[in-house]
Amino acid sequence: QPLSGDHARGECALVALGAALRASGLTSAEAAYADVLWRWTALQLALAQAESAGYDPLEPRARLSSSECELLRFGARKLCGCASSLRHSELAFSAAHAAALEATCAAVGAVTAPPKEAALELLGEGKGAAVRGMCRFDLFGRALRGRSVDHLAGESALPPVVLPVELSLVPDCVSSYEDVCNALRHAVHLCELLANQQGYIPNTYCLRVSLLQHLLTAVIPLPLPCSHPQRASRCFWAASPMRYETQADLLRLLNLACRHFAACCFSIRVTRSFDAVRLVVVATIATLADAVMRIRCADVPSLLCLNYSGEAEGPGDAFHFELGSFAVESEDLQLASPELHCARTRVLDYFAAQRPHHRPSRVLFGFERSMEFGA
């Protein structure tokens, strides 16, 4: 039984022929001889079909396929093997049949042989210049130098316009509110450039996270606690007055920076050290936003900020929000830099000093206890 199955039922017909010959009284040697003759006849029929189909070894469209050539060669090898096995049997293969079989195998070799080398003259090279083996490659004619091929090239793709990302625009230190606004604005613009050009600049998520981490933990100072004795003189956010447009600009830039940082955090594989960066940086953004919201502007105070800080006219205390379980969850964080340690400590000190001065009914975003907005 063939390994690929007997779909054409040829093997079945051969076995049935042998069984019928043995049943009719022929010996095993005579049945084997008949098997060789049957295979020989089938091979001759295949050769006749190839010749009737107009086979031409020099014409690519009239050649046999590689699978058909391999099938003919395999049939010839199998036929020769069966014929050679008869030399030790009682009924040897006759000399006339051997000569005719050799001629058939030679015909199979001629049909399945690769095409002969042909000499073709190159265009533009003059007489006598020829290339051997030209018809072995169907597409070799494209290499002839006889016509212009510039029109086949098409239009070249326009190179992308990649804007430079100058990370050095973000300063290493700030000394005024304007410097903080400029540093945050540069950082937001750089994050936008990296986000829009992430197809041309590698590792944009890591660059944005590192930029915002450096800015919020090492460049912009965090506020001192409200109970600090020298807060009015030593705290960056209480030592000088602030204008209304500066306050609004700071809150808008902190919002944009937080959005960029959140988008990058959900796009990077989380490790233990990066988990610490995520928690501490978001806590610093919340601390800075709370400190800016509690500042009373020198020119036109914001009504929202006055109500939030409890300085508005009329009854009502200040609002505040809590960090929840940040203190407990951050105890075992893998903080990889001193700036992260300092930022975590200052965030905890800032909110711990506010806790005794606020009532529980004025807590905002207390979703740990209930899903209500607040007071």
Side-chain angles (χ1 to χ4, degrees):
Q1 179 69 19
L3 295 178
S4 59
D6 189 17
H7 302 289
R9 299 294 185 267
E11 189 71 20
C12 180
L14 187 60
V15 173
L17 175 63
L21 294 176
R22 293 296 302 275
S24 62
L26 272 67
T27 61
S28 58
E30 293 173 344
Y33 202 103
D35 179 78
V36 173
L37 296 178
W38 186 90
R39 294 177 184 271
W40 187 7
T41 304
L43 184 60
Q44 288 176 336
L45 289 175
L47 286 174
Q49 290 179 1
E51 294 175 356
S52 63
Y55 167 77
D56 186 1
L58 298 180
E59 178 63 31
R61 297 183 179 178
R63 298 174 191 168
L64 295 177
S65 63
S66 59
S67 59
E68 292 173 342
C69 293
E70 184 62 28
L71 183 61
L72 289 175
R73 286 193 291 265
F74 177 77
R77 290 195 300 269
K78 186 68 175 179
L79 175 59
C80 294
C82 295
S84 62
S85 63
L86 295 178
R87 66 180 184 271
H88 302 297
S89 64
E90 301 175 357
L91 185 60
F93 205 59
S94 64
H97 283 171
L101 179 59
E102 184 177 358
T104 302
C105 293
V108 171
V111 169
T112 59
K116 298 180 180 180
E117 296 183 352
L120 297 180
E121 184 176 352
L122 285 176
L123 299 178
E125 293 292 341
K127 297 182 178 180
V131 174
R132 293 287 180 180
M134 189 73 173
C135 30
R136 290 185 180 177
F137 306 96
D138 297 339
L139 304 178
F140 192 73
R142 297 185 178 182
L144 298 179
R145 295 179 298 174
R147 63 181 72 89
S148 176
V149 294
D150 294 338
H151 65 282
L152 300 176
E155 298 181 358
S156 60
L158 295 177
V161 179
V162 181
L163 300 179
V165 181
E166 303 180 39
L167 298 179
S168 58
L169 292 176
V170 178
D172 293 332
C173 62
V174 292
S175 58
S176 63
Y177 298 145
E178 289 75 14
D179 293 343
V180 176
C181 290
N182 292 333
L184 282 171
R185 189 172 291 107
H186 282 310
V188 170
H189 289 174
L190 292 174
C191 289
E192 291 175 354
L193 283 177
L194 291 171
N196 293 328
Q197 300 180 141
Q198 60 182 347
Y200 309 108
I201 301 177
N203 305 321
T204 59
Y205 295 117
C206 297
L207 290 175
R208 283 180 273 174
V209 166
S210 301
L211 176 64
L212 294 176
Q213 174 192 349
H214 171 72
L215 175 63
L216 296 169
T217 60
V219 177
I220 301 178
L222 292 175
L224 293 177
C226 59
S227 59
H228 196 280
Q230 300 179 354
R231 172 181 168 80
S233 59
R234 299 189 59 180
C235 180
F236 178 85
W237 300 100
S240 58
M242 179 181 294
R243 296 176 59 85
Y244 176 83
E245 64 270 13
T246 304
Q247 185 183 45
D249 196 19
L250 282 172
L251 293 175
R252 185 183 68 87
L253 292 173
L254 286 174
N255 179 30
L256 295 176
C258 184
R259 290 188 176 190
H260 279 288
F261 187 78
C264 295
C265 288
F266 288 108
S267 304
I268 300 177
R269 185 174 63 88
V270 179
T271 60
R272 186 180 176 187
S273 59
F274 182 57
D275 189 40
V277 172
R278 293 194 308 172
L279 292 178
V280 174
V281 171
V282 172
T284 58
I285 295 176
T287 303
L288 292 173
D290 183 83
V292 173
M293 286 284 291
R294 297 185 186 280
I295 296 177
R296 185 185 182 95
C297 296
D299 51 355
V300 182
S302 171
L303 295 179
L304 173 64
C305 295
L306 290 178
N307 282 274
Y308 182 78
S309 60
E311 299 181 6
E313 297 180 357
D317 296 331
F319 293 92
H320 73 287
F321 62 91
E322 299 176 349
L323 292 182
S325 58
F326 174 75
V328 178
E329 294 179 356
S330 61
E331 289 179 353
D332 299 328
L333 292 179
Q334 187 177 359
L335 302 175
S337 64
E339 292 81 7
L340 293 176
H341 282 278
C342 296
R344 173 184 176 271
T345 302
R346 301 193 68 171
V347 167
L348 293 176
D349 292 342
Y350 177 81
F351 284 98
Q354 291 183 358
R355 190 175 299 113
H357 303 283
H358 298 93
R359 293 183 303 173
S361 60
R362 312 296 286 181
V363 176
L364 300 177
F365 313 116
F367 299 120
E368 294 87 357
R369 295 185 295 270
S370 66
M371 296 305 296
E372 298 182 358
F373 178 74

PDB file of all heavy atoms in Angstrom, residues 178-197:
ATOM      1  N   GLU A 178       7.119  81.185  37.362  1.00  0.00           N
ATOM      2  CA  GLU A 178       7.266  81.204  35.905  1.00  0.00           C
ATOM      3  C   GLU A 178       8.181  80.091  35.433  1.00  0.00           C
ATOM      4  O   GLU A 178       7.945  79.468  34.377  1.00  0.00           O
ATOM      5  CB  GLU A 178       7.793  82.558  35.454  1.00  0.00           C
ATOM      6  CG  GLU A 178       6.811  83.707  35.570  1.00  0.00           C
ATOM      7  CD  GLU A 178       6.618  84.184  37.006  1.00  0.00           C
ATOM      8  OE1 GLU A 178       7.448  83.792  37.861  1.00  0.00           O
ATOM      9  OE2 GLU A 178       5.658  84.915  37.280  1.00  0.00           O
ATOM     10  N   ASP A 179       9.236  79.827  36.195  1.00  0.00           N
ATOM     11  CA  ASP A 179      10.128  78.728  35.827  1.00  0.00           C
ATOM     12  C   ASP A 179       9.415  77.381  35.896  1.00  0.00           C
ATOM     13  O   ASP A 179       9.628  76.499  35.053  1.00  0.00           O
ATOM     14  CB  ASP A 179      11.356  78.716  36.745  1.00  0.00           C
ATOM     15  CG  ASP A 179      12.244  79.935  36.542  1.00  0.00           C
ATOM     16  OD1 ASP A 179      12.097  80.598  35.499  1.00  0.00           O
ATOM     17  OD2 ASP A 179      13.075  80.219  37.429  1.00  0.00           O
ATOM     18  N   VAL A 180       8.550  77.211  36.902  1.00  0.00           N
ATOM     19  CA  VAL A 180       7.789  75.963  37.012  1.00  0.00           C
ATOM     20  C   VAL A 180       6.841  75.813  35.828  1.00  0.00           C
ATOM     21  O   VAL A 180       6.719  74.730  35.227  1.00  0.00           O
ATOM     22  CB  VAL A 180       7.022  75.922  38.344  1.00  0.00           C
ATOM     23  CG1 VAL A 180       6.150  74.672  38.419  1.00  0.00           C
ATOM     24  CG2 VAL A 180       7.978  75.955  39.511  1.00  0.00           C
ATOM     25  N   CYS A 181       6.172  76.900  35.459  1.00  0.00           N
ATOM     26  CA  CYS A 181       5.260  76.837  34.302  1.00  0.00           C
ATOM     27  C   CYS A 181       6.016  76.515  33.020  1.00  0.00           C
ATOM     28  O   CYS A 181       5.570  75.691  32.213  1.00  0.00           O
ATOM     29  CB  CYS A 181       4.513  78.167  34.160  1.00  0.00           C
ATOM     30  SG  CYS A 181       3.302  78.485  35.452  1.00  0.00           S
ATOM     31  N   ASN A 182       7.169  77.160  32.825  1.00  0.00           N
ATOM     32  CA  ASN A 182       7.942  76.895  31.614  1.00  0.00           C
ATOM     33  C   ASN A 182       8.462  75.458  31.586  1.00  0.00           C
ATOM     34  O   ASN A 182       8.461  74.804  30.525  1.00  0.00           O
ATOM     35  CB  ASN A 182       9.103  77.870  31.516  1.00  0.00           C
ATOM     36  CG  ASN A 182       8.636  79.292  31.272  1.00  0.00           C
ATOM     37  OD1 ASN A 182       7.566  79.505  30.702  1.00  0.00           O
ATOM     38  ND2 ASN A 182       9.412  80.270  31.710  1.00  0.00           N
ATOM     39  N   ALA A 183       8.900  74.953  32.741  1.00  0.00           N
ATOM     40  CA  ALA A 183       9.395  73.572  32.785  1.00  0.00           C
ATOM     41  C   ALA A 183       8.277  72.581  32.482  1.00  0.00           C
ATOM     42  O   ALA A 183       8.457  71.629  31.704  1.00  0.00           O
ATOM     43  CB  ALA A 183      10.013  73.288  34.153  1.00  0.00           C
ATOM     44  N   LEU A 184       7.104  72.795  33.081  1.00  0.00           N
ATOM     45  CA  LEU A 184       5.972  71.909  32.798  1.00  0.00           C
ATOM     46  C   LEU A 184       5.513  72.024  31.349  1.00  0.00           C
ATOM     47  O   LEU A 184       5.176  71.025  30.709  1.00  0.00           O
ATOM     48  CB  LEU A 184       4.811  72.245  33.734  1.00  0.00           C
ATOM     49  CG  LEU A 184       4.904  71.732  35.170  1.00  0.00           C
ATOM     50  CD1 LEU A 184       3.797  72.321  36.008  1.00  0.00           C
ATOM     51  CD2 LEU A 184       4.843  70.210  35.201  1.00  0.00           C
ATOM     52  N   ARG A 185       5.517  73.241  30.800  1.00  0.00           N
ATOM     53  CA  ARG A 185       5.093  73.428  29.411  1.00  0.00           C
ATOM     54  C   ARG A 185       6.058  72.744  28.445  1.00  0.00           C
ATOM     55  O   ARG A 185       5.647  72.091  27.473  1.00  0.00           O
ATOM     56  CB  ARG A 185       4.984  74.912  29.103  1.00  0.00           C
ATOM     57  CG  ARG A 185       4.341  75.210  27.752  1.00  0.00           C
ATOM     58  CD  ARG A 185       4.083  76.692  27.587  1.00  0.00           C
ATOM     59  NE  ARG A 185       3.023  77.160  28.477  1.00  0.00           N
ATOM     60  CZ  ARG A 185       3.233  77.914  29.569  1.00  0.00           C
ATOM     61  NH1 ARG A 185       4.475  78.271  29.884  1.00  0.00           N
ATOM     62  NH2 ARG A 185       2.239  78.280  30.319  1.00  0.00           N
ATOM     63  N   HIS A 186       7.357  72.889  28.698  1.00  0.00           N
ATOM     64  CA  HIS A 186       8.331  72.192  27.857  1.00  0.00           C
ATOM     65  C   HIS A 186       8.156  70.679  27.955  1.00  0.00           C
ATOM     66  O   HIS A 186       8.246  69.963  26.942  1.00  0.00           O
ATOM     67  CB  HIS A 186       9.754  72.585  28.282  1.00  0.00           C
ATOM     68  CG  HIS A 186      10.187  73.926  27.790  1.00  0.00           C
ATOM     69  ND1 HIS A 186      10.071  74.321  26.472  1.00  0.00           N
ATOM     70  CD2 HIS A 186      10.741  74.984  28.446  1.00  0.00           C
ATOM     71  CE1 HIS A 186      10.533  75.545  26.330  1.00  0.00           C
ATOM     72  NE2 HIS A 186      10.955  75.980  27.519  1.00  0.00           N
ATOM     73  N   ALA A 187       7.917  70.173  29.159  1.00  0.00           N
ATOM     74  CA  ALA A 187       7.750  68.732  29.334  1.00  0.00           C
ATOM     75  C   ALA A 187       6.517  68.227  28.597  1.00  0.00           C
ATOM     76  O   ALA A 187       6.551  67.169  27.949  1.00  0.00           O
ATOM     77  CB  ALA A 187       7.658  68.394  30.821  1.00  0.00           C
ATOM     78  N   VAL A 188       5.414  68.973  28.670  1.00  0.00           N
ATOM     79  CA  VAL A 188       4.194  68.564  27.973  1.00  0.00           C
ATOM     80  C   VAL A 188       4.405  68.586  26.468  1.00  0.00           C
ATOM     81  O   VAL A 188       3.985  67.670  25.737  1.00  0.00           O
ATOM     82  CB  VAL A 188       3.023  69.461  28.393  1.00  0.00           C
ATOM     83  CG1 VAL A 188       1.806  69.212  27.505  1.00  0.00           C
ATOM     84  CG2 VAL A 188       2.655  69.204  29.843  1.00  0.00           C
ATOM     85  N   HIS A 189       5.073  69.628  25.951  1.00  0.00           N
ATOM     86  CA  HIS A 189       5.337  69.700  24.517  1.00  0.00           C
ATOM     87  C   HIS A 189       6.237  68.559  24.058  1.00  0.00           C
ATOM     88  O   HIS A 189       6.017  67.971  22.983  1.00  0.00           O
ATOM     89  CB  HIS A 189       5.970  71.050  24.174  1.00  0.00           C
ATOM     90  CG  HIS A 189       5.010  72.200  24.271  1.00  0.00           C
ATOM     91  ND1 HIS A 189       5.394  73.514  24.118  1.00  0.00           N
ATOM     92  CD2 HIS A 189       3.669  72.233  24.504  1.00  0.00           C
ATOM     93  CE1 HIS A 189       4.338  74.306  24.249  1.00  0.00           C
ATOM     94  NE2 HIS A 189       3.287  73.548  24.494  1.00  0.00           N
ATOM     95  N   LEU A 190       7.252  68.227  24.848  1.00  0.00           N
ATOM     96  CA  LEU A 190       8.135  67.121  24.490  1.00  0.00           C
ATOM     97  C   LEU A 190       7.388  65.790  24.513  1.00  0.00           C
ATOM     98  O   LEU A 190       7.628  64.927  23.657  1.00  0.00           O
ATOM     99  CB  LEU A 190       9.326  67.084  25.443  1.00  0.00           C
ATOM    100  CG  LEU A 190      10.309  68.260  25.334  1.00  0.00           C
ATOM    101  CD1 LEU A 190      11.353  68.187  26.433  1.00  0.00           C
ATOM    102  CD2 LEU A 190      10.984  68.272  23.972  1.00  0.00           C
ATOM    103  N   CYS A 191       6.490  65.621  25.472  1.00  0.00           N
ATOM    104  CA  CYS A 191       5.686  64.395  25.509  1.00  0.00           C
ATOM    105  C   CYS A 191       4.778  64.300  24.289  1.00  0.00           C
ATOM    106  O   CYS A 191       4.573  63.208  23.734  1.00  0.00           O
ATOM    107  CB  CYS A 191       4.862  64.340  26.790  1.00  0.00           C
ATOM    108  SG  CYS A 191       5.828  64.051  28.292  1.00  0.00           S
ATOM    109  N   GLU A 192       4.238  65.434  23.846  1.00  0.00           N
ATOM    110  CA  GLU A 192       3.400  65.419  22.647  1.00  0.00           C
ATOM    111  C   GLU A 192       4.222  65.070  21.410  1.00  0.00           C
ATOM    112  O   GLU A 192       3.762  64.324  20.530  1.00  0.00           O
ATOM    113  CB  GLU A 192       2.728  66.780  22.484  1.00  0.00           C
ATOM    114  CG  GLU A 192       1.685  67.071  23.554  1.00  0.00           C
ATOM    115  CD  GLU A 192       1.130  68.481  23.437  1.00  0.00           C
ATOM    116  OE1 GLU A 192       1.651  69.247  22.597  1.00  0.00           O
ATOM    117  OE2 GLU A 192       0.200  68.814  24.185  1.00  0.00           O
ATOM    118  N   LEU A 193       5.437  65.613  21.298  1.00  0.00           N
ATOM    119  CA  LEU A 193       6.294  65.273  20.171  1.00  0.00           C
ATOM    120  C   LEU A 193       6.650  63.788  20.171  1.00  0.00           C
ATOM    121  O   LEU A 193       6.622  63.124  19.126  1.00  0.00           O
ATOM    122  CB  LEU A 193       7.571  66.114  20.220  1.00  0.00           C
ATOM    123  CG  LEU A 193       7.469  67.573  19.778  1.00  0.00           C
ATOM    124  CD1 LEU A 193       8.802  68.276  19.947  1.00  0.00           C
ATOM    125  CD2 LEU A 193       7.019  67.663  18.321  1.00  0.00           C
ATOM    126  N   LEU A 194       6.986  63.259  21.332  1.00  0.00           N
ATOM    127  CA  LEU A 194       7.326  61.836  21.415  1.00  0.00           C
ATOM    128  C   LEU A 194       6.116  60.956  21.111  1.00  0.00           C
ATOM    129  O   LEU A 194       6.258  59.894  20.484  1.00  0.00           O
ATOM    130  CB  LEU A 194       7.878  61.516  22.802  1.00  0.00           C
ATOM    131  CG  LEU A 194       9.251  62.095  23.132  1.00  0.00           C
ATOM    132  CD1 LEU A 194       9.584  61.883  24.605  1.00  0.00           C
ATOM    133  CD2 LEU A 194      10.331  61.460  22.262  1.00  0.00           C
ATOM    134  N   ALA A 195       4.937  61.374  21.543  1.00  0.00           N
ATOM    135  CA  ALA A 195       3.737  60.573  21.280  1.00  0.00           C
ATOM    136  C   ALA A 195       3.381  60.574  19.799  1.00  0.00           C
ATOM    137  O   ALA A 195       2.977  59.539  19.249  1.00  0.00           O
ATOM    138  CB  ALA A 195       2.566  61.108  22.106  1.00  0.00           C
ATOM    139  N   ASN A 196       3.533  61.721  19.122  1.00  0.00           N
ATOM    140  CA  ASN A 196       3.184  61.796  17.705  1.00  0.00           C
ATOM    141  C   ASN A 196       4.238  61.189  16.798  1.00  0.00           C
ATOM    142  O   ASN A 196       3.945  60.897  15.631  1.00  0.00           O
ATOM    143  CB  ASN A 196       2.961  63.262  17.309  1.00  0.00           C
ATOM    144  CG  ASN A 196       1.739  63.859  17.972  1.00  0.00           C
ATOM    145  OD1 ASN A 196       0.764  63.158  18.224  1.00  0.00           O
ATOM    146  ND2 ASN A 196       1.787  65.143  18.283  1.00  0.00           N
ATOM    147  N   GLN A 197       5.454  61.001  17.290  1.00  0.00           N
ATOM    148  CA  GLN A 197       6.537  60.461  16.467  1.00  0.00           C
ATOM    149  C   GLN A 197       7.035  59.123  16.997  1.00  0.00           C
ATOM    150  O   GLN A 197       8.178  58.765  16.792  1.00  0.00           O
ATOM    151  CB  GLN A 197       7.710  61.452  16.414  1.00  0.00           C
ATOM    152  CG  GLN A 197       7.337  62.781  15.822  1.00  0.00           C
ATOM    153  CD  GLN A 197       8.499  63.764  15.781  1.00  0.00           C
ATOM    154  OE1 GLN A 197       8.667  64.511  14.837  1.00  0.00           O
ATOM    155  NE2 GLN A 197       9.322  63.763  16.805  1.00  0.00           N
TER     156      GLN A 197
END
